[in-house]
Amino acid sequence: MAGLELLSDEGYRVDGRRAGELRKVRARMGVFAKADGSAYIEQGNTKALAVVYGPHEMRGSRSKALHDRALVNCQYSMATFSTGERKRRPHGDRKSSELTLHLKQTFEAAILTQLYPRSQIDIYVQILQADGGNYCACVNAATLATIDAGIPMRDYVCASSAGFIEDTPLADLNYVEEAAGGPQVALALLPKSDQIALLEMNSRLHEDHLEQVIEAASKACKDVYAVLDQVVRDHVHEVTTLLGE
Amino acid sequence: MKETPLSNCERRFLLRAVEERKRLDGRQSYDYRNVRISFGADYGCCIVELGRTRVLGQVSCELVSPKLNRATEGILFFNLELSPMAAPAFEPGRQPELLVKLNRLLERCLRNSKCIDTESLCVVAGVKVWQIRVDLHLLNHDGNIIDAASIAAIVALCHFRRPDVSVQGEEVTLYTPEERDPVPLSIHHMPICVSFAFFQQGTYLLVDPSEREERVMDGLLVIAMNKHREICTIQSSGGIMLLKDQVLRCSKITGVKVAEITELIQKALENDRKVRKEGGKFGFAESIPNQKISAFKMERAPVDTNDVEEQAEEIIMKADPPSDFVAKPILRMPGTAQIGEGLENSWGDFEESEREEEEEGNSDDATTSGGQKMETEEINIVSKTKKDDDTIILSDSEEEEVVILEPEETHKKTRTHTTAKQENSSKKAFNKKRKKKRATH
């Protein structure tokens, strides 16, 4: 694409990673005092904040309440300073509403909503810096926040993207790789059971390569899972020692 | 107006049908509904019917200044409208979740897959480019809007001709269709969406769900593909957990369906071109027969009715001739009347009464010896006396008695039997009936 080499002959990507390598993931849980659960995650240069409230009584129109499970309410927004050009609308455009829907769908599948009938769980996610894989960073942040809020889930939901360039599947795309216009798959996975909570694909990819790319994405999801699990364990350890004193 | 909720009964019925791999419209699990494409009089206008789901597509174009970051690319704009015309649940002026989802899916399917060469839409770089607008209106909602809309969008784009332009220096000249023939858009490939509905957490899979099926499904997977088997979009939705194998299987099915639909589209476009060239009649008024517009459009059941008559005759030949006895009305007591004996199950009665006889013989012996048995016998006698009242009426319909008691024999036989030894059999019937009654006590 336009002279830019996304995968060198030696097998390195633009930012020096190998094909299946993730960007550095750093995360913290419990970053806000008022919220029931909150988390901050950095995946390379993509930074996201997630806040979870609930389960609580229905707010707004009660008619939306579901009699057999909890309603998951999501909002995805991007800070106006998150992209190269300043964004005019932080949320409410078509793309953001679509991502909101996807987040909602992912967490409806993962949270044990049937435990809280007639109640509501709010998940608010904001992208502070966008450098590719926004949806994935949001899902990972929201998972940590949900765990922080103590809401029971089937499993961690881990998300990762994958691309396909020169017959090689690439894991965890950054902005440059996304903007090049190659195929990209976003996958939200429950790592223990290998179940796919959400699968999304854009651009063009031959059917024969689909399996490889999904395989690469799920491998990346499992790598993310290892990191997230460690973060949760460290956090719990920290909290218990603080309480112990 | 809110959508009428589905009753539990109906929901269960639909799910049961899915479990038994049956569909209400007689399709198989992997069957697509009939696709019908008709073109309007203008270029870039078409109606696509997928079963009874109808989508109108209209493409228009306009010269605009390009986006700042893409100075040499034309602009593609897609808009799907769900009006209350199609279904009462769609409210005007609101953007419900469904609409956002469908619009984004269309955009991703057609714009992000780069099926249209946007650079060929550039007139003067950075100054003037073509904006192509695709408006899709849902006219009738019978499930699977996205597939119908994606077909309508690509057909309308293929059919569309934009006015020719020429650039001389700074000046842009636009030619009317009379001056120069309008030019078609350059289309690289045709992505087509195929929807899969999942039921019971992914156990059952249906292609092209109808409206009813959509309302009871657990989740939906949409795969867009072109005829070169390149996947253009995948989108899962609804709270289902998929497995990788399911996705791969769906992509295989998509390949087959897309090949069929692409062929159909090309044929339809070819037909339209031929008709226009020959100067025949074209446009909606010609291509849509009258009854197709009205809501009373009757669809023929997809059942082969060619040699039904022969089949039916065969069945009649094989079957037993119907019995020709007519039930007589019975008067049980004043004020009541009844035809026939009603729902008395007679099967196996014969053997039972035989057994009764044997048992009776035994019990007769027993009465002489055991006192306990005496009691039962007494009860039997009571029942016998009770029975006597009934028998008067029962003996009225001897014919029927015989039918009940000898179910193994065909009706014909029993009839001759009764006519020959009517008195005899009636007596027999009477006896047996009595014994049977006794057994129940």
Side-chain angles (χ1 to χ4, degrees):
Chain A
M1 284 272 150
L4 187 65
E5 195 183 40
L6 291 172
L7 191 68
S8 71
D9 297 336
E10 292 79 29
Y12 289 105
R13 288 154 68 174
V14 214
D15 49 6
R17 283 184 287 159
R18 289 271 183 193
E21 203 176 327
L22 298 184
R23 292 174 286 177
K24 188 169 177 59
V25 180
R26 296 172 13 163
R28 271 205 74 78
M29 291 165 74
V31 288
F32 292 111
K34 286 279 180 188
D36 292 318
S38 56
Y40 169 76
I41 200 166
E42 279 179 19
Q43 288 187 267
N45 285 328
T46 304
K47 292 166 187 149
L49 266 177
V51 176
V52 171
Y53 292 97
H56 57 71
E57 231 179 298
M58 288 295 297
R59 304 243 168 89
S61 67
R62 267 165 196 281
S63 59
K64 274 195 206 155
L66 304 166
H67 68 92
D68 57 345
R69 61 200 156 92
L71 179 90
V72 180
N73 175 36
C74 285
Q75 192 177 65
Y76 166 88
S77 56
M78 287 176 87
T80 46
F81 49 82
S82 61
T83 47
E85 277 172 61
R86 199 175 167 80
K87 267 187 94 72
R88 288 213 192 88
R89 288 179 78 180
H91 57 85
D93 56 331
R94 267 188 187 178
K95 248 184 195 162
S96 316
S97 344
E98 192 200 19
L99 270 171
T100 300
L101 264 174
H102 288 170
L103 272 178
K104 181 181 170 183
Q105 185 198 320
T106 314
F107 281 92
E108 265 176 356
I111 295 174
L112 298 171
T113 47
Q114 69 274 19
L115 296 180
Y116 307 104
R118 291 172 223 279
S119 46
Q120 180 180 347
I121 297 167
D122 293 316
I123 302 174
Y124 299 113
V125 203
Q126 183 152 43
I127 290 284
L128 298 180
Q129 187 173 336
D131 186 36
N134 296 351
Y135 167 75
C136 309
C138 285
V139 169
N140 296 335
T143 303
L144 290 179
T146 317
I147 292 169
D148 188 35
I151 296 171
M153 291 201 285
R154 290 197 171 81
D155 195 0
Y156 285 69
V157 203
C158 301
S160 182
S161 56
F164 193 78
I165 287 159
E166 291 166 19
D167 289 333
T168 323
L170 307 182
D172 193 18
L173 304 180
N174 65 21
Y175 180 74
V176 180
E177 287 162 337
E178 271 187 8
Q184 44 176 301
V185 171
L187 180 76
L189 193 76
L190 306 191
K192 274 187 192 139
S193 52
D194 261 334
Q195 284 173 318
I196 299 169
L198 186 117
L199 176 66
E200 194 193 333
M201 208 210 83
N202 274 323
S203 198
R204 252 155 75 194
L205 176 72
H206 197 273
E207 193 198 335
D208 298 344
H209 304 310
L210 181 66
E211 191 174 358
Q212 280 183 60
V213 178
I214 292 182
E215 199 61 59
S218 46
K219 168 84 175 40
C221 287
K222 283 176 185 160
D223 293 345
V224 170
Y225 167 70
V227 179
L228 294 189
D229 194 46
Q230 195 52 49
V231 169
V232 173
R233 281 173 201 282
D234 287 350
H235 177 75
V236 172
H237 187 70
E238 209 174 299
V239 170
T240 44
T241 45
L242 277 175
L243 285 176
E245 278 172 10
Chain B
M1 196 175 116
K2 241 187 165 175
E3 200 168 17
T4 328
L6 217 56
S7 67
N8 286 340
C9 255
E10 207 164 0
R11 182 177 295 273
R12 269 202 301 274
F13 169 70
L14 287 164
L15 286 173
R16 184 72 177 279
V18 171
E19 273 170 39
E20 290 175 8
R21 306 200 179 268
K22 283 174 187 152
R23 298 178 80 166
L24 294 185
D25 40 14
R27 281 184 286 161
Q28 297 290 312
S29 310
Y30 295 164
D31 282 358
Y32 219 77
R33 281 175 289 183
N34 284 339
V35 180
R36 200 167 170 280
I37 300 167
S38 34
F39 295 97
D42 283 340
Y43 281 119
C45 184
C46 72
I47 287 183
V48 169
E49 287 174 53
L50 179 63
R52 279 159 66 193
T53 299
R54 310 172 93 215
V55 176
L56 169 81
Q58 171 72 59
V59 180
S60 49
C61 65
E62 170 177 29
L63 279 171
V64 293
S65 48
K67 287 181 183 166
L68 286 174
N69 48 355
R70 291 176 196 274
T72 59
E73 284 180 26
I75 301 167
L76 270 175
F77 187 80
F78 298 93
N79 188 39
L80 174 66
E81 201 108 331
L82 305 177
S83 66
M85 211 189 327
F90 299 134
E91 284 173 50
R94 270 188 57 232
Q95 280 250 330
E97 287 182 358
L98 176 71
L99 191 55
V100 174
K101 199 180 92 179
L102 293 175
N103 267 317
R104 273 296 293 163
L105 212 52
L106 271 176
E107 270 180 22
R108 282 167 44 197
C109 170
L110 292 156
R111 188 196 289 153
N112 296 9
S113 67
K114 303 205 173 71
C115 67
I116 290 167
D117 183 14
T118 44
E119 288 195 351
S120 73
L121 295 173
C122 177
V123 181
V124 183
V127 182
K128 272 211 163 27
V129 294
W130 283 109
Q131 184 190 44
I132 305 290
R133 216 189 131 92
V134 185
D135 282 294
L136 299 160
H137 283 254
L138 185 67
L139 301 182
N140 190 34
H141 175 34
D142 192 34
N144 206 359
I145 302 170
I146 185 64
D147 289 15
S150 83
I151 297 173
I154 197 70
V155 170
L157 282 169
C158 287
H159 191 241
F160 182 65
R161 303 281 185 276
R162 66 171 169 84
D164 201 4
V165 283
S166 71
V167 185
Q168 279 179 328
E170 287 286 285
E171 209 172 306
V172 179
T173 337
L174 204 69
Y175 297 99
T176 57
E178 287 78 31
E179 289 168 336
R180 272 196 199 179
D181 276 344
V183 283
L185 306 173
S186 65
I187 290 168
H188 298 309
H189 61 100
M190 299 206 280
I192 289 159
C193 292
V194 176
S195 303
F196 299 88
F198 288 89
F199 299 85
Q200 311 244 325
Q201 288 303 312
T203 324
Y204 301 101
L205 170 86
L206 293 184
V207 176
D208 180 24
S210 70
E211 195 247 353
R212 281 293 140 106
E213 285 159 352
E214 271 182 358
R215 286 171 75 168
V216 295
M217 73 186 173
D218 288 335
L220 189 75
L221 179 73
V222 180
I223 301 183
M225 207 187 256
N226 59 23
K227 70 169 179 191
H228 313 296
R229 287 177 53 239
E230 284 173 321
I231 300 171
C232 300
T233 300
I234 299 182
Q235 181 64 54
S236 73
S237 55
I240 42 155
M241 297 293 183
L242 290 171
L243 293 172
K244 199 182 77 185
D245 296 344
Q246 288 173 321
V247 177
L248 295 177
R249 195 172 72 196
C250 288
S251 82
K252 290 225 164 62
I253 299 169
T254 311
V256 179
K257 298 290 166 206
V258 166
E260 288 169 12
I261 298 167
T262 312
E263 202 177 311
L264 183 92
I265 292 175
Q266 269 157 355
K267 228 178 256 170
L269 286 167
E270 187 60 41
N271 271 350
D272 183 69
R273 201 172 303 140
K274 216 181 274 170
V275 170
R276 274 170 207 264
K277 210 174 176 183
E278 287 164 1
K281 285 177 181 170
F282 54 87
F284 287 139
E286 297 305 321
S287 56
I288 305 175
N290 277 340
Q291 81 272 12
K292 296 266 167 165
I293 294 172
S294 76
F296 300 112
K297 179 171 140 188
M298 288 289 285
E299 261 178 43
R300 289 200 160 207
V303 180
D304 187 24
T305 52
N306 279 335
D307 44 78
V308 158
E309 272 181 43
E310 287 92 69
Q311 265 184 30
E313 259 169 37
E314 215 171 277
I315 291 166
I316 291 165
M317 288 289 282
K318 274 183 195 164
D320 293 326
S323 65
D324 46 0
F325 80 82
V326 183
K328 283 179 189 160
I330 309 159
L331 196 68
R332 285 215 181 266
M333 54 182 84
T336 62
Q338 161 179 1
I339 296 175
E341 265 302 303
L343 292 166
E344 206 167 10
N345 186 6
S346 60
W347 288 97
D349 271 355
F350 194 69
E351 295 97 319
E352 213 174 275
S353 50
E354 293 258 283
R355 234 185 295 132
E356 261 304 299
E357 264 172 2
E358 276 174 32
E359 265 178 32
E360 208 172 33
N362 289 338
S363 67
D364 276 342
D365 294 347
T367 42
T368 50
S369 58
Q372 242 188 353
K373 291 272 170 159
M374 280 284 275
E375 267 179 41
T376 55
E377 190 65 3
E378 255 174 36
I379 295 162
N380 279 349
I381 290 160
V382 172
S383 71
K384 212 189 259 177
T385 51
K386 240 187 189 171
K387 189 82 206 265
D388 282 343
D389 303 343
D390 292 346
T391 47
I392 302 159
I393 306 154
L394 280 171
S395 57
D396 273 354
S397 55
E398 315 102 340
E399 284 177 18
E400 194 144 14
E401 281 311 300
V402 182
V403 172
I404 289 167
L405 286 170
E406 293 170 331
E408 285 87 355
E409 290 176 30
T410 58
H411 285 295
K412 246 188 185 167
K413 245 185 174 172
T414 50
R415 272 199 65 79
T416 52
H417 189 72
T418 43
T419 45
K421 318 175 187 175
Q422 204 170 29
E423 268 189 27
N424 218 342
S425 65
S426 73
K427 241 184 196 169
K428 219 165 125 194
F430 170 70
N431 274 333
K432 274 174 187 170
K433 188 83 186 177
R434 204 165 59 179
K435 273 170 201 160
K436 207 182 87 197
K437 261 281 165 72
R438 226 192 283 166
T440 57
H441 276 283

